[in-house]
């Protein structure tokens, strides 16, 4: 591969890792409730904005990050407790509209609590690019990739080994059966929103040094994260990573070799084609319809 | 289910909605104030324009009222946020004209929202001062439409003139997909030939893209490349600037007037060093020689804005300042708020000194600025410096 | 269109059946409402509410009755708008012919897009339609020589047989008539065999298929119908506003349309009208809140869906019914 194409790949991995991290949050909530959480991008924004403003006010970076992640987690729990949880018996589409309302509310609050400007956060290990075979990549991108992989490993452990994780997994397969064996699905819902919000905030903190953050930066990230989660197979954690990286690489390679103006169009067309061949996403479950 | 049952919720809702609309219509003032209407993109992708514009208008209307108003009447400011959506801007313009019965409209942060408002203000015959960039707003001249910001064509010309001086002729363009970016890109492509500039690459990126290395790698590989011009605003140009350094591209980088705020330097950090861009004198207020006619105006505006809002001044707020002051000046000269008289007074503005430059309007020129209004700036040691 | 069996049974009281009665009431509201309009701004908001209602009545057929979600309907709206605008402005077609051609074109596009992607289910279908909408909006924004790019393009006024529609009153009449026609068509479709097939496949596609219903065909048909409603509203919007931008195709706009349908109440044509009207008027009323507008709007939306989970109209009319029993 030439240095040029390696650079396209490096750029694609940077973007893809970001999408993957956002996509993971979608899959967690989907598993627990069957809902697409349109406020997932706002969790990312809250993480980034809180960390950026706390750091700017003089707080040490690790403390600011911890507070930001904690704050987002609380927001996630509140969303589950006071809104989604109350309408649990409603249609999935109704629940989705609730998350759309939540995303507006959170964006609206963010613009009042903070402001409408773009904020930056320092990188964890400097701006000096790392060189690999003639291509360059920012150290922060490597952080994003590494954390994404670590998060997937931790999620696998959580859902495979812990009691709460297994309960959440059981709920995702069959809610009624889970309730029958004594699983409190309200706790599962709370846990999934809390976990997804924490994950989203971690994503926000990690990507703010690359893409910056503003009160409305969650919208596009949410859209791309949703696309990545679907492409990989909704509900599958490895699928979220594969979907994110695939989408990022598609955009980057399309911009590099075909047309930067139509790179998103190309990415979406390829995605539609993939879905038509694999209607459950790349790593999605192959289930047959039941009556 | 009976017909009445089916109807009841619908009618009661209609009633509620109607009551809300009437409530929202606003309270009539005791005396007859001068009504100034404004549509701004305070939120949404163009909030970097609308936010400082709103703050500027609110601050100066307050100040003018504290000083006793204009021609003995208070000013009443009505601002609607269109979120950068042209369709909303059209509705709010209609609301300003028909519901709020404003005497004059300042605003339209973006070219799209301005163009949506123009047919309505022309039909209603209300003086309208746009705060958007595109040259199409005032060319061809429309009777009731004026604007304060330099056009994007002027920005291109200023940049290309600077490039020509530095003997940089093979230039790559990289721009965003937003209205501002695309309009400037089109104007730059149009005027490049006139300055002997050859556009050797033309790349774009999406509004919320997080990495532009693919586009810049392509540009880097373009043979004979001598300079790169980035048309855009928001975080896009900052990411471009950072990726530019990441890839080790060494030819000069030019940004547009879309990033004309100290915030750009803060966000881009070291990567911004050496970047050049055209901007109004406002950004370098303190650096201007005392002989500069604009110095007093821009220093005062900068001081007021930064003291009140504790944030860096941008040229966009300055456009709103100019728009409001042009209107106030015209109303004073007209001695009334008669729309035709105010319009004529605006058109006859001569030697008005604003943050954007010295304004000389006429029946054939509804902008009134020339290239001298733009200064070429370079980022040096984390601050703006005037290019001599 | 075939009349419903219930209308047949009570022919003398046709106007009192729920369906005809509903339309008669809607017609009455449309006719009486202008009495309360103080100026052109009220007409403007009402016209927009009407146009959104037309889209939502169509979208409700797809979401509410057939149970298929679309997050790309703004794409059809924009194609209808740009198709009408381009044919009229760039190629000098008569506006009415341009509108009809554009709508027919959109129907074709919807058929070609719908056939493959309607095989997808649930959120995968949502994603596919979302992708379609995004593609339309990017193409419209990028192809700036034809469409004027992100800053939009001017559209000539609507004219038919020498009559040029300019005034608010004329447009109110046009949109009001179109809305009534849309509601009438939708109601007839719902009561037709197709409507029953749609509801059957909403409940269980497999069961419907076993019962001999051609699910793919019905799904594609209703998808095309809903796209046609959106495209017609798009064309009318372009002529009415005299100006269009690619943001009319945006993802946010698609989400807004789905929100209107669910807010008003799924599987209720009048719910779609109420949802579209309330969510069109509400932002105008909320402007007094300035920077709190977005947060309050979001909170109101959440609260409505939490407390009226089936949507405004079905939940309220359900309550009323229980109260009168």
């Amino acid at each position: 591969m030439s240095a040029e194409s390696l650079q396209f790949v490096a750029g694609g991995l940077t973007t893809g890792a970001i999408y993957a991290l956002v996509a993971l949050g979608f899959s967690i909530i989907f598993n627990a409730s069957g809902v697409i959480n349109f406020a997932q991008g706002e969790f990312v924004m809250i993480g980034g904005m809180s960390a950026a403003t706390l750091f700017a006010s003089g707080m040490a970076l690790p403390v600011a990050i911890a507070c930001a992640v904690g704050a987002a987690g609380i927001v996630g729990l509140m969303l589950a407790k006071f809104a989604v949880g109350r309408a649990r018996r409603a249609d999935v589409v109704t629940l989705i509209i609730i998350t759309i309302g939540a995303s507006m509310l959170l964006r609206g609050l963010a613009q009042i609590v903070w402001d409408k400007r773009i904020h930056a956060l320092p990188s964890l290990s400097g701006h000096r690019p790392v060189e690999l075979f003639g291509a360059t990549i920012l150290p922060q991108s490597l952080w994003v990739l590494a954390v994404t992989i670590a998060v997937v490993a931790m999620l696998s452990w959580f859902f495979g080994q812990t009691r709460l994780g297994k309960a959440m997994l059981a709920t995702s397969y069959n809610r009624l059966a889970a309730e029958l064996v004594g699983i409190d699905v309200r706790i599962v819902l709370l846990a999934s929103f809390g976990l997804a919000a924490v994950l989203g905030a971690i994503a926000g903190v990690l990507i703010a040094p690359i893409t910056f953050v503003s009160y409305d930066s969650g919208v596009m990230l949410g859209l791309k994260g949703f696309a990545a989660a679907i492409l990989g197979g909704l509900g599958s954690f490895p699928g979220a990573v594969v979907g994110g990286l695939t989408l990022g690489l598609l955009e980057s390679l399309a911009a590099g070799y075909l047309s930067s103006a139509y790179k998103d169009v190309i990415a979406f067309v390829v995605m539609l084609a993939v879905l038509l061949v694999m209607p459950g996403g790349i790593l999605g479950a192959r289930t047959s319809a039941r009556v | 289910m009976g017909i009445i049952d089916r109807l009841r919720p619908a009618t009661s809702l209609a009633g509620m909605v109607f009551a809300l609309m009437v409530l929202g219509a606003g309270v009539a003032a005791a005396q007859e104030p001068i009504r100034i209407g404004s549509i701004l993109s305070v939120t949404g992708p163009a909030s970097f324009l609308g936010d400082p514009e709103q703050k500027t208008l609110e601050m100066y209307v307050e100040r003018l009222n504290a000083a006793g108003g204009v021609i003995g009447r208070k000013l009443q400011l009505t601002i609607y946020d269109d979120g950068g959506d042209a369709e909303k801007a059209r509705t709010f313009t209609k609301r300003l004209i028909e519901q709020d019965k404003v005497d004059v409209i300042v605003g339209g942060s973006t070219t799209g929202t301005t163009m949506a408002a123009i047919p309505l203000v022309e039909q209603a015959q209300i003086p309208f001062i746009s705060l958007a960039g595109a040259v199409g707003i005032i060319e061809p001249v429309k009777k009731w439409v004026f604007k304060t910001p330099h056009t994007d064509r002027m920005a291109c010309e200023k940049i290309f003139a600077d490039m020509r001086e530095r003997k940089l002729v093979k230039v790559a363009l990289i721009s965003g997909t937003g209205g501002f970016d695309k309009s400037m890109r089109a104007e730059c492509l149009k005027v490049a030939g006139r300055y002997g500039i050859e556009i050797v690459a033309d790349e774009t990126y999406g509004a919320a893209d997080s990495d532009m290395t693919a586009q810049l790698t392509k540009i880097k590989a373009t043979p004979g490349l001598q300079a790169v011009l980035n048309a855009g605003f928001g975080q896009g140009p900052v990411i471009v600037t950072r990726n530019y350094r990441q890839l080790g591209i060494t030819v000069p980088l030019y940004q547009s007037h879309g990033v004309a705020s100290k915030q750009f330097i803060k966000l881009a950090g070291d990567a911004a060093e050496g970047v050049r861009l055209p901007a109004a004198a406002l950004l370098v207020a303190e650096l201007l020689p005392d002989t500069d006619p604009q110095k007093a105006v821009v220093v005062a505006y900068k001081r007021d804005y930064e003291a009140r809002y504790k944030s860096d001044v941008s040229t966009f707020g300055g456009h709103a300042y100019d728009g409001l002051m042009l209107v106030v000046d015209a109303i004073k000269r007209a001695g009334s708020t008669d729309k035709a008289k105010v319009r004529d007074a605006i058109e006859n503005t001569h030697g008005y000194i604003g943050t954007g430059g010295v304004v000389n309007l006429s029946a054939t020129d509804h902008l009134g600025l020339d290239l001298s209004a733009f200064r070429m700036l370079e980022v040096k040691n984390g601050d703006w410096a005037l290019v001599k | 269109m075939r009349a419903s069996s219930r209308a047949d049974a009570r022919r003398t009281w046709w106007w009192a059946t729920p369906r005809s009665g509903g339309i008669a009431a809607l017609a009455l509201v449309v006719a009486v409402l202008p009495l309360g309009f103080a100026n052109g701004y009220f007409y403007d908001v009402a016209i927009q509410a009407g146009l959104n209602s037309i889209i939502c009545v169509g979208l409700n057929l797809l979401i509410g009755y057939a149970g298929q979600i679309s997050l790309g309907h703004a794409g059809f709206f924009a194609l209808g708008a740009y198709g009408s605008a381009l044919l009229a402005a760039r190629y000098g077609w008569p506006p009415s012919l341009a509108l009809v051609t554009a709508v027919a074109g959109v129907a074709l596009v919807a058929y070609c897009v719908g056939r493959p992607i309607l095989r997808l289910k649930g959120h995968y279908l949502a994603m596919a339609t979302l992708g379609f909408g995004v593609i339309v909006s990017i193409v419209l924004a990028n192809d700036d020589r034809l469409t004027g790019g992100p800053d939009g393009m001017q559209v000539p006024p609507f004219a038919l047989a020498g009559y040029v529609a300019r005034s608010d009153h004329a447009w109110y009449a046009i949109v009001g008539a179109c809305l009534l026609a849309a509601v009438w068509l939708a109601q007839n479709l719902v009561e037709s065999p197709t409507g029953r097939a749609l509801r059957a496949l909403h409940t269980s596609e497999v069961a419907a298929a076993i019962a001999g219903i051609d699910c793919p065909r019905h799904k594609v048909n209703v998808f095309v119908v809903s796209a046609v409603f959106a495209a017609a509203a798009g064309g009318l919007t372009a002529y009415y506003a005299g100006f269009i931008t690619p943001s009319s195709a945006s993802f946010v706009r698609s989400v807004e349309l789905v929100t209107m349908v669910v807010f008003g109440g799924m599987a209720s044509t009048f719910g779609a009208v109420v949802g579209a009207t309330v969510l069109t008027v509400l932002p105008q009323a909320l402007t007094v809140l300035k920077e709190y507008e977005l947060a309050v709007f979001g909170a109101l939306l959440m609260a409505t869906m939490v407390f009226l989970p089936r949507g405004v109209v079905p939940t309220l009319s359900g309550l009323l019914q229980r109260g009168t029993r």
Side-chain angles (χ1 to χ4, degrees), chain C residues 78-134:
Chain C
L79 283 181
Y82 271 94
S84 312
L86 284 172
L87 288 176
R90 301 267 192 272
Y91 303 103
W93 286 36
S96 49
L97 185 62
L99 178 65
V100 172
T101 312
V103 172
V106 170
L108 191 66
V109 170
Y111 182 77
C112 297
V113 171
R115 261 193 83 91
I117 70 173
L118 280 166
R119 288 192 288 132
L120 298 170
K121 308 230 180 315
H123 299 309
Y124 293 92
L125 175 63
M127 183 67 237
T129 50
L130 187 159
F132 166 76
V134 170

Side-chain angles (χ1 to χ4, degrees), chain A residues 4 7-8 11 15 111 116-118 120 127 129 136-138 209-212 215 220 252 255-256 260-261 263, chain B residues 42-44 47 51 203-204 208-211 213-215 217-218 221 234-235 238-239 242 246-247 263 267 311:
Chain A
E4 217 173 283
Q7 187 62 53
F8 296 152
T15 326
Q111 113 194 12
K116 291 186 275 273
R117 280 176 296 157
I118 303 164
H127 290 299
T136 55
I137 191 163
L138 290 175
I210 304 175
T211 68
F212 307 97
Y215 82 100
M220 280 310 277
S252 175
S260 53
K263 72 180 171 53
Chain B
V42 182
T43 56
S47 64
D51 188 48
E203 297 291 328
T204 64
D209 279 6
S210 45
D211 185 274
T213 51
Q215 291 90 328
T217 303
K218 252 168 110 179
Q235 81 274 32
V238 185
I239 297 174
R242 282 214 185 154
Q246 177 195 338
L247 294 175
Q263 214 196 348
L267 292 174
S311 64

